[in-house]
């Protein structure tokens, strides 16, 4: 593997003692099994010497011809993103696609990687068509432009989790760790191996190191074809050069590297093998970087001395794009110039020229390349979707990764817990030890209405969580790292303990201080319904974050819906007073069921009296009348009703208050199960939004 020189920070490619490749690790494993089966010493390992003269690289040639791609614009207009683009790249080579912004660089990379539909033209590997083929997906890797990584994981942990997701489960953990160590050396990340990735609030690795980690995640299985969308974007010249050095080392290992790049430096140009320069979707040059000066000279624009040839070429293209004729003349000249050039020698002239694509892949797998999630060397089996792990193992790995990343942000954990505790303490001090008077009953209802709505609004802080993870999820599931439902289940398993802690904290803070009744049994139910409210609120917020990728829009939708639930949930207007055309919203209000549940839990005891004797006049015009007159009024009312009403007579019990609030249809246990069911319902919607809503948007 490459070594990093501390003085120059450049990765060397000379020989030396190298770490084992992934193929060597698998060879060791398979050989050990064969030895064990035959009764021989299984501890003796056979290591495949990939550097020996007898082991020649397996030839691959990726060709694409006459690629065209259009998208529909406004007013039924059609915009052409690719127009008759052709080229080729073989194993061991780096093909770089250049062009100004909007020239079609990323579109071409996506087209070759099979990430666009409605593509016209042909893409072949060793002469066999690849478009709409599952085979390309499993023998390739695609590195997006943005570095989407978990910020609190170290470099080694990030690559180790990638190995657990992508490498065959037949490899032991020690073998996977050996592959990760080898990859760290190959990427020149040895000094940063135990440093966290970092983000705006936590200092971590440098931009160049972060980019190399992103590349490492996708080449953990040593793919045959590697696609990269502007891997040097946002990096200084030194870090950009180091990234391309790593890509050169990957290409020399027998892969083909295809990337888009923006104005490479002279040092980077020396590492490239083929160039394609695009202008508004058309190819204006295709060939070796060494032939570019001659091409420009023949076109009548020789490169001045000491001028960067690609910068000069791109400046010329921009100048022509601004002219009346545009780049048509340059496109036509390029077509004629290509026809006059001698055919480029390709690896197809090697002794392996008779190998078909599947035979080449089979041989490549046996030489050190592996297909993600499979130990099979049969390319036919590679064309079926496969995963490296069982759903149970996937769920465990995902949960472990999330917990490790989450546990290293104690400030977020403490802030969320503190928010719940402070809210509970404020409510406890405001509604301190409520009595059983009519005013105390109304204050209990007000307490419950605010407390239950708080459970849901507190969950809104979860909105950015999946929105940040969305593209990590897309990148990983694109290459079958894990199943979508494994991700959803792990998300549930990780969130439940957190919500339980918040529920207990709020319940302990408010139950006895507010003076809620019922003893231990009521307290346990109070904990459960708060837990259910947190669960349904968190599930709803998670669904919205999976459905709407924009943070601001998702916040607006969440707050608006919760406000409507608050309005229709029975807090401000009883069910029997809601207009018939809005009654349906009352029943889909998330807050209706936990609110009714806590009221039933508090007021369902018929032995508790909340209006006794003269208290019935509180809050009316008769409140200031002397008690003696009120007693005489009771005598008159009692004679009319045929009963005796005293000052101690209970006139309104807890169940009477429930009827007054319009709560008579469900029991408290019905409300609990329905609240939990809402959470499950939104988790299912979250799963469906991931399954069908998070696809590549190019069509």
């Amino acid at each position: 593997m490459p070594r990093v020189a501390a003085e120059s920070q450049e990765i060397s490619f000379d020989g030396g003692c190298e770490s084992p490749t992934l193929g060597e690790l698998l060879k060791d494993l398979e050989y050990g099994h064969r030895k064990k089966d035959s009764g021989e010493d299984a501890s003796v390992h056979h290591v495949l010497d990939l550097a020996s003269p007898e082991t020649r690289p397996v030839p691959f040639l990726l060709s694409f011809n006459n690629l065209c791609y259009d998208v529909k614009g406004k007013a039924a207009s059609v915009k052409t993103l690719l127009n008759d683009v052709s080229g080729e790249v073989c194993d061991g080579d780096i093909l770089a696609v250049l062009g100004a912004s909007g020239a079609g660089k990323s579109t071409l990379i996506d087209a070759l990687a099979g990430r666009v539909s409605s593509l016209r033209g042909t893409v072949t590997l060793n002469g066999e068509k690849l478009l709409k083929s599952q085979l390309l997906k499993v023998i390739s890797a695609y590195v997006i432009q943005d570095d989407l990584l978990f910020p609190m994981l170290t470099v080694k942990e990030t690559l180790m989790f990638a190995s657990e997701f992508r490498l065959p489960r037949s490899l032991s953990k020690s073998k996977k760790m050996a592959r990760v160590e080898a990859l760290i050396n190959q990427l020149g990340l040895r000094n940063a191996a135990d440093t966290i990735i970092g983000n705006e609030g936590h200092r971590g690795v440098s931009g160049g190191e972060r980019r190399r980690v992103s590349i490492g995640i996708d080449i953990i299985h040593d793919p045959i074809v590697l696609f990269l969308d502007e891997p040097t974007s946002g990096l200084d010249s030194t870090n950009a050069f180091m990234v391309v050095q790593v890509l050169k080392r990957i290409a020399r290992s027998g892969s083909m590297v295809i990337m888009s790049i923006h104005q490479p430096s002279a040092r980077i140009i020396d590492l490239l093998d083929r160039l394609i320069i695009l202008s508004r979707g058309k190819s204006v040059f295709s060939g070796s970087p060494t032939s570019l000066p001659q091409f420009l000279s023949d076109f009548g624009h020789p490169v001045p001395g000491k001028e960067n040839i690609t910068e000069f070429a791109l400046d010329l293209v921009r100048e022509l794009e601004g002219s009346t004729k545009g780049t048509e003349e340059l496109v036509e000249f390029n077509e004629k110039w290509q026809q006059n050039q001698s055919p480029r020698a390709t690896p197809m002239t090697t002794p392996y020229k008779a190998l078909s694509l599947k035979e080449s892949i089979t041989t490549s797998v046996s030489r050190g390349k592996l297909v993600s999630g499979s130990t099979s060397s049969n390319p036919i089996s590679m064309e079926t979707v496969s995963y490296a792990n069982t759903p149970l193992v996937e769920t465990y790995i995902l949960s472990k990764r999330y917990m490790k990343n989450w546990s290293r942000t104690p400030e977020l954990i403490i802030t969320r817990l503190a928010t719940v505790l402070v809210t509970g303490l404020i409510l406890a001090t405001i509604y301190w030890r409520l009595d059983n008077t009519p005013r105390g009953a109304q204050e209990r209802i007000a307490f419950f209405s605010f407390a239950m709505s708080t459970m849901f609004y507190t969950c809104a802080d979860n909105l950015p969580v999946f929105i940040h993870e969305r593209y990590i999820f897309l990148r990983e599931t694109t290459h079958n790292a894990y199943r979508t439902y494994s991700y959803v289940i792990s998300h549930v398993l990780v969130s439940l303990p957190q919500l339980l802690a918040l529920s207990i904290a709020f319940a302990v803070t408010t139950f006895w201080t507010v003076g809620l009744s019922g003893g231990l049994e009521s307290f346990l139910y109070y904990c459960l319904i708060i837990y259910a409210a947190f669960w349904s609120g968190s599930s709803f917020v998670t669904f919205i974050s999976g459905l709407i990728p924009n943070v601001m829009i998702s916040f607006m939708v969440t707050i608006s819906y919760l406000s409507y639930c608050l309005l229709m949930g029975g807090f401000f207007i009883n069910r029997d007073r809601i207009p018939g055309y809005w009654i349906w919203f009352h029943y889909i209000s998330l807050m209706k069921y936990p609110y009714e549940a806590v009221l039933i839990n508090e007021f369902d005891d018929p032995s508790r009296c909340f209006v006794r004797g003269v208290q019935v006049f509180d809050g009316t015009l008769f409140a200031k009348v002397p008690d003696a007159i009120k007693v005489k009024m009771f005598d008159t009312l009692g004679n009319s009703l045929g009963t005796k009403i005293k000052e101690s007579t209970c006139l309104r019990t807890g169940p009477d208050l429930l009827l007054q609030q319009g709560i008579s249809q469900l029991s408290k246990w019905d409300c609990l199960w329905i609240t939990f069911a809402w959470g499950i319902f939104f988790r299912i919607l979250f799963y469906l939004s991931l399954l069908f809503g998070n696809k590549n948007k190019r069509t």
Side-chain angles (χ1 to χ4, degrees):
M1 292 298 161
R3 298 190 298 275
V4 180
E7 296 81 4
S8 65
Q9 289 295 304
E10 295 184 1
I11 304 172
S12 62
F13 299 107
D14 54 336
C17 182
E18 296 191 356
S19 302
T21 66
L22 184 56
E24 292 169 354
L25 296 175
L26 188 65
K27 281 290 182 180
D28 292 348
L29 184 67
E30 293 176 346
Y31 188 78
H33 288 327
R34 291 196 300 268
K35 285 285 188 178
K36 185 175 180 180
D37 294 338
S38 61
E40 300 178 42
D41 185 6
S43 63
V44 179
H45 297 290
H46 169 71
V47 178
L48 183 65
D49 184 9
L50 297 180
S52 62
E54 293 78 15
T55 306
R56 301 181 181 182
V58 181
F60 288 98
L61 179 65
L62 179 69
S63 299
F64 47 98
N65 297 285
N66 311 117
L67 295 185
C68 297
Y69 179 61
D70 303 324
V71 294
K72 292 183 179 180
K74 296 181 179 179
S77 62
V78 177
K79 183 178 181 180
T80 300
L81 301 183
L82 293 178
N83 188 354
D84 198 26
V85 179
S86 301
E88 66 178 21
V89 59
C90 64
D91 59 280
D93 281 359
I94 297 180
L95 168 63
V97 183
L98 280 73
S101 298
K105 302 188 299 295
S106 297
T107 304
L108 178 57
I109 298 297
D110 284 349
L112 295 176
R115 293 164 64 91
V116 301
S117 58
S118 306
L119 179 69
R120 303 189 302 276
T122 59
V123 179
T124 61
L125 184 60
N126 286 15
E128 298 187 21
K129 293 184 178 181
L130 282 182
L131 288 180
K132 300 180 181 180
S133 170
Q134 186 71 22
L135 186 59
L136 176 62
K137 180 178 178 180
V138 295
I139 66 172
S140 67
Y142 186 99
V143 181
I144 61 177
Q145 184 174 344
D146 299 320
D147 298 321
L148 302 170
L149 306 167
F150 285 93
M152 303 312 295
L153 298 181
T154 66
V155 170
K156 183 182 293 186
E157 289 169 345
T158 300
L159 295 176
M160 192 62 202
F161 278 119
S163 72
E164 292 183 3
F165 284 130
R166 303 289 295 276
L167 299 188
R169 56 179 173 268
S170 57
L171 284 179
S172 65
K173 189 171 183 178
S174 61
K175 297 288 186 182
K176 292 178 181 178
M177 180 59 75
R179 169 58 181 162
V180 169
E181 294 291 344
L183 191 56
I184 288 174
N185 290 333
Q186 185 181 23
L187 297 172
L189 293 170
R190 175 54 56 196
N191 294 333
D194 297 318
T195 304
I196 64 170
I197 300 300
N199 56 15
E200 296 82 358
H202 301 85
R203 187 172 181 178
V205 297
S206 67
E209 290 168 335
R210 187 180 293 110
R211 187 62 48 85
R212 280 178 271 160
V213 174
S214 296
I215 295 172
I217 288 174
D218 286 306
I219 66 168
I220 191 73
H221 63 295
D222 208 3
I224 294 171
V225 187
L226 178 60
F227 300 100
L228 304 101
D229 185 12
E230 297 201 21
T232 62
S233 177
L235 302 180
D236 57 49
S237 59
T238 301
N239 278 316
F241 177 60
M242 293 179 66
V243 168
V244 180
Q245 276 188 310
V246 168
L247 297 179
K248 188 64 176 179
R249 178 65 178 89
I250 294 169
R252 287 189 178 182
S253 70
S255 298
M256 56 183 72
V257 177
I258 304 172
M259 66 176 182
S260 58
I261 192 169
H262 188 72
Q263 289 190 331
S265 65
R267 291 193 301 171
I268 291 178
I269 295 173
D270 291 338
L271 297 176
L272 305 179
D273 299 288
R274 293 188 69 81
L275 285 180
I276 292 180
I277 301 179
L278 297 179
S279 172
R280 297 176 181 174
K282 297 181 179 180
S283 176
V284 296
F285 174 78
S286 178
S288 169
T290 57
S291 64
L292 181 57
Q294 184 62 46
F295 171 84
L296 295 173
S297 179
D298 292 347
F299 184 64
H301 291 77
V303 181
K306 298 183 179 180
E307 181 83 13
N308 184 301
I309 58 173
T310 56
E311 290 183 2
F312 178 81
L314 292 175
D315 289 341
L316 174 61
V317 170
R318 276 192 290 266
E319 181 181 342
L320 293 175
E321 288 176 345
S323 64
T324 304
K325 294 184 179 180
T327 57
E328 292 182 7
E329 185 179 352
L330 182 58
V331 172
E332 294 174 359
F333 176 79
N334 176 53
E335 293 175 354
K336 295 178 181 178
W337 193 82
Q338 295 291 340
Q339 294 173 0
N340 294 331
Q341 298 301 305
S342 58
R344 180 175 182 266
T346 70
M348 295 299 135
T349 59
T350 68
Y352 294 95
K353 63 181 179 180
L355 293 180
S356 67
L357 173 59
K358 293 180 179 179
E359 289 172 335
S360 296
I361 294 176
T362 301
T363 306
S364 184
V365 169
S366 68
R367 294 289 174 82
K369 298 292 181 182
L370 280 182
V371 177
S372 177
S374 174
T375 59
S376 173
S377 60
N378 181 9
I380 297 178
S381 67
M382 297 173 188
E383 295 189 38
T384 60
V385 176
S386 61
Y387 298 90
N389 302 292
T390 62
L392 185 62
V393 174
E394 290 173 356
T395 303
Y396 170 74
I397 298 172
L398 285 165
S399 301
K400 182 173 67 172
R401 181 176 68 175
Y402 184 87
M403 286 299 296
K404 183 167 289 189
N405 183 73
W406 178 76
S407 64
R408 290 176 182 171
T409 54
E411 64 277 9
L412 297 180
I413 303 171
I414 294 173
T415 300
R416 194 174 188 194
L417 182 60
T419 300
V420 172
L421 287 174
V422 169
T423 303
L425 289 173
I426 291 175
L427 290 174
T429 53
I430 292 176
Y431 298 100
W432 179 263
R433 305 298 296 174
L434 298 177
D435 53 28
N436 291 337
T437 63
R439 179 172 295 179
Q442 292 301 317
E443 289 172 347
R444 289 172 193 270
I445 294 173
F447 163 75
F448 287 131
S449 65
F450 186 87
M452 290 302 103
S453 60
T454 299
M455 302 301 102
F456 290 90
Y457 283 107
T458 302
C459 295
D461 66 348
N462 274 334
L463 274 173
V465 174
F466 178 74
I467 292 177
H468 171 72
E469 296 178 9
R470 169 188 293 269
Y471 295 103
I472 299 179
F473 167 83
L474 279 176
R475 183 194 66 207
E476 293 176 335
T477 53
T478 296
H479 293 288
N480 300 332
Y482 47 79
R483 299 163 180 85
T484 301
Y485 63 81
S486 298
Y487 179 86
V488 175
I489 294 173
S490 68
H491 208 274
V492 170
L493 294 178
V494 170
S495 64
L496 287 177
Q498 303 174 38
L499 300 178
L500 180 61
L502 297 177
S503 304
I504 294 174
F506 186 83
V508 170
T509 307
T510 58
F511 187 82
W512 287 284
T513 54
V514 173
L516 304 182
S517 65
L520 180 61
E521 181 180 348
S522 292
F523 171 74
L524 293 177
Y525 181 85
Y526 183 60
C527 289
L528 279 176
I529 194 61
I530 292 175
Y531 188 33
F534 270 126
W535 157 249
S536 60
S538 175
S539 298
F540 168 72
V541 167
T542 302
F543 162 61
I544 293 298
S545 67
L547 186 67
I548 305 173
N550 185 282
V551 175
M552 293 305 298
I553 296 177
S554 60
F555 262 117
M556 292 171 59
V557 171
T558 299
I559 299 303
S560 298
Y561 177 73
L562 293 180
S563 298
Y564 303 150
C565 289
L566 181 64
L567 177 63
M568 301 291 184
F571 302 146
F572 303 112
I573 183 171
N574 291 348
R575 184 186 72 251
D576 56 357
R577 300 286 294 173
I578 298 176
Y581 46 82
W582 280 118
I583 194 65
W584 60 272
F585 206 108
H586 171 72
Y587 290 101
I588 67 170
S589 170
L590 295 181
M591 299 183 189
K592 162 185 166 63
Y593 302 99
Y595 172 64
E596 292 187 1
V598 290
L599 287 183
I600 296 172
N601 190 52
E602 180 67 16
F603 295 117
D604 66 342
D605 185 0
S607 64
R608 294 181 65 200
C609 184
F610 290 93
V611 179
R612 192 179 297 276
V614 296
Q615 291 178 342
V616 73
F617 299 108
D618 292 352
T620 68
L621 290 174
F622 299 102
K624 296 181 180 180
V625 175
D627 288 348
I629 297 178
K630 294 177 182 176
V631 172
K632 290 181 180 180
M633 293 175 65
F634 281 149
D635 292 338
T636 303
L637 290 172
N639 293 332
S640 300
L641 297 172
T643 184
K644 189 171 182 62
I645 303 176
K646 301 179 180 179
E647 290 188 52
S648 60
T649 301
C650 181
L651 301 179
R652 182 172 295 167
T653 61
D656 295 331
L657 283 174
L658 293 177
L659 290 175
Q660 183 184 10
Q661 296 295 316
I663 301 174
S664 59
Q665 293 180 327
L666 301 170
S667 69
K668 67 178 185 180
W669 294 106
D670 292 334
C671 293
L672 178 65
W673 306 136
I674 292 174
T675 306
F676 271 115
W678 271 119
I680 296 173
F681 173 71
F682 282 116
R683 293 289 172 168
I684 294 174
L685 292 183
F686 175 56
Y687 167 72
L688 295 176
S689 70
L690 299 186
L691 196 62
F692 300 109
N694 290 280
K695 303 294 183 182
N696 190 280
K697 298 303 179 183
R698 294 186 185 272
T699 56

